[in-house]
Amino acid sequence: MSVGICIINHNGIALAADSAGTVANMQMFYNSMNKVFSLSNKNTIGAITYNATRINDVLIDQILKEFRFEIDSNNIKINDFYDVEKLFIDFINSKNDYYNFEFQIRNEVTNYLNGIINCCTQINFKENESSQINAIDAFIQEKNDIDLNKNSSQRFEFIEKIFNESREKLSHIKIKVDYTSDIDKNYSDIIDENLKTFFNGAEASKNEISLLANALKNEINFYLNSTDYLGLFIAGYGENSAFPKFLHLNIFHVINGNLKYEVLDKGPKGKDIIIPLAQNDVILTFCRGISYSIQNLYNQYFKSEINNKINQLDSSIFTEDQKKMLITEFLSVSDTFNDELNNI
């Protein structure tokens, strides 16, 4: 969690942030995290970080401290404040081997795909349905007891299901960075290894292989876009201007030695400006008194239980159409609850 603020006027800049941090999937909390940084002892430039705390599993604290050392030890004079963007990007890209960026991201992608393929090949759909489906809920909605290595027709249907689910999942997420070309260049070997594991020596058509390969590429793209971005806000002075400026970036991943990022905003945009810097869930929790993720959990639980309970009703008493009608009616209660909670 992170909350920061920047106030700029003609007289100067104020940067402030909380010191709270969470790790281990929000399970641990500590109150001594540094989120405000000086980026140079020789240039008047500072930064706030928020949201994620790492780039490819390297702490931003370490990166920014060494970026500051790079600027000062080389006596880099920042004439135009906006030059700091190129300086930072070039610094990150030049440190690909030093920070072992590529190893970290390849390791993440490998583990992610291995988990998916292991679930797909080892699953027994009629045993331990709940935990198995939770493990690969993005892929499998229909539970069929099939042998993927022996029945080519069923295997092909299964692969098409994987491809369609993967594509559908991508349609619901905002793809900020398209990693497709990077995946083709860097992760073909990982995909090939997982294809071998999936087919396990069974004969497969080119179409089957292509379908699954595309699904895995989509999955990697989804995974890389679903992880938290790091917010980086830099403000300060260049030598050629008497007044302060700012630069607001979203930092994603370093892939193949290149930092993926976007420029959200840059200024000045007027005489005086106040810029809030925070994760949406933190602001919503502060304003609403309840975390949006908790509210979503309520809704998901209600809807899941309603579906499960009604579908388990005796089919000799309730027809399928009646069950569907009941589900529709009871789901409206969940929606009403959500509306009332928002009103409160």
Side-chain angles (χ1 to χ4, degrees):
M1 58 184 290
S2 299
V3 178
I5 190 168
C6 173
I7 303 173
I8 300 180
N9 61 27
H10 272 33
N11 297 317
I13 309 165
L15 297 174
D18 69 309
S19 59
T22 50
V23 295
N25 196 25
M26 304 295 284
Q27 294 178 22
M28 293 176 63
F29 172 86
Y30 57 98
N31 200 35
S32 58
M33 189 172 183
N34 186 23
K35 300 175 186 177
V36 181
F37 300 88
S38 168
L39 297 187
S40 174
N41 292 320
K42 300 181 179 181
N43 299 273
T44 309
I45 297 176
I48 290 179
T49 64
Y50 65 99
N51 207 42
T53 59
R54 299 167 184 263
I55 301 176
N56 287 42
D57 207 34
V58 181
L59 282 168
I60 189 62
D61 304 50
Q62 178 183 354
I63 292 172
L64 291 182
K65 287 172 184 175
E66 293 181 347
F67 177 55
R68 178 177 63 198
F69 179 78
E70 177 91 356
I71 291 175
D72 290 344
S73 64
N74 291 307
N75 291 312
I76 296 174
K77 192 175 184 180
I78 299 175
N79 292 313
D80 184 342
F81 169 79
Y82 295 126
D83 289 344
V84 74
E85 177 186 346
K86 186 176 186 307
L87 284 171
F88 180 72
I89 304 309
D90 288 348
F91 171 77
I92 292 290
N93 292 344
S94 70
K95 297 291 186 179
N96 188 47
D97 293 334
Y98 174 74
Y99 288 123
N100 221 357
F101 282 138
E102 200 61 40
F103 171 81
Q104 298 290 350
I105 202 70
R106 277 182 64 87
N107 194 45
E108 281 189 45
V109 168
T110 300
N111 290 337
Y112 180 70
L113 286 192
N114 286 348
I116 290 169
I117 292 299
N118 286 338
C119 285
C120 290
T121 54
Q122 296 174 11
I123 190 168
N124 182 339
F125 295 103
K126 293 189 175 180
E127 292 180 10
N128 198 19
E129 287 183 0
S130 178
S131 62
Q132 294 286 13
I133 294 303
N134 286 337
I136 48 173
D137 61 351
F139 279 170
I140 305 163
Q141 304 299 325
E142 298 175 5
K143 300 173 285 294
N144 302 307
D145 195 7
I146 61 174
D147 188 332
L148 297 175
N149 294 319
K150 293 181 180 178
N151 191 319
S152 177
S153 174
Q154 285 185 306
R155 184 183 68 223
F156 187 74
E157 290 176 6
F158 184 77
I159 293 170
E160 283 190 311
K161 178 69 176 176
I162 291 176
F163 180 73
N164 291 332
E165 290 290 343
S166 179
R167 184 168 50 193
E168 182 181 343
K169 183 164 67 173
L170 277 176
S171 71
H172 288 87
I173 187 172
K174 184 179 180 181
I175 301 296
K176 288 182 172 291
V177 180
D178 187 357
Y179 294 96
T180 304
S181 61
D182 298 295
I183 293 167
D184 287 334
K185 289 177 185 176
N186 297 348
Y187 304 136
S188 295
D189 57 329
I190 301 175
I191 291 171
D192 289 343
E193 284 299 316
N194 280 281
L195 290 175
K196 290 177 184 177
T197 301
F198 182 86
F199 291 112
N200 194 25
E203 290 186 9
S205 68
K206 289 183 178 179
N207 200 14
E208 284 179 311
I209 295 172
S210 176
L211 271 175
L212 185 55
N214 283 331
L216 295 181
K217 288 176 185 178
N218 281 343
E219 273 304 309
I220 297 173
N221 205 10
F222 167 78
Y223 172 73
L224 293 176
N225 275 281
S226 66
T227 53
D228 280 342
Y229 66 89
L230 184 146
L232 178 62
F233 184 90
I234 305 173
Y237 294 83
E239 292 292 325
N240 62 2
S241 175
F243 302 114
K245 298 178 181 178
F246 71 88
L247 178 67
H248 194 179
L249 307 176
N250 272 353
I251 307 294
F252 302 109
H253 297 285
V254 178
I255 303 286
N256 198 27
N258 292 306
L259 179 67
K260 304 291 185 179
Y261 75 102
E262 65 176 345
V263 178
L264 285 182
D265 200 5
K266 55 172 61 177
K269 294 201 165 185
K271 183 178 179 182
D272 305 315
I273 187 168
I274 299 175
I275 304 165
L277 305 162
Q279 298 164 253
N280 287 337
D281 60 329
V282 176
I283 291 295
L284 287 172
T285 301
F286 179 78
C287 294
R288 295 157 53 94
I290 182 172
S291 165
Y292 189 65
S293 60
I294 295 295
Q295 187 174 343
N296 272 345
L297 186 63
Y298 290 156
N299 291 327
Q300 290 169 12
Y301 178 78
F302 289 157
K303 291 179 179 180
S304 174
E305 283 298 294
I306 288 168
N307 274 289
N308 290 337
K309 297 295 185 184
I310 294 178
N311 282 323
Q312 289 171 11
L313 293 174
D314 191 339
S315 295
S316 64
I317 300 174
F318 296 92
T319 66
E320 290 303 312
D321 286 341
Q322 287 174 326
K323 289 182 181 181
K324 289 178 182 178
M325 183 179 67
L326 285 172
I327 288 173
T328 300
E329 290 299 319
F330 278 99
L331 285 180
S332 68
V333 176
S334 176
D335 293 334
T336 301
F337 170 80
N338 193 46
D339 291 340
E340 287 299 315
L341 194 59
N342 287 336
N343 289 335
I344 293 170

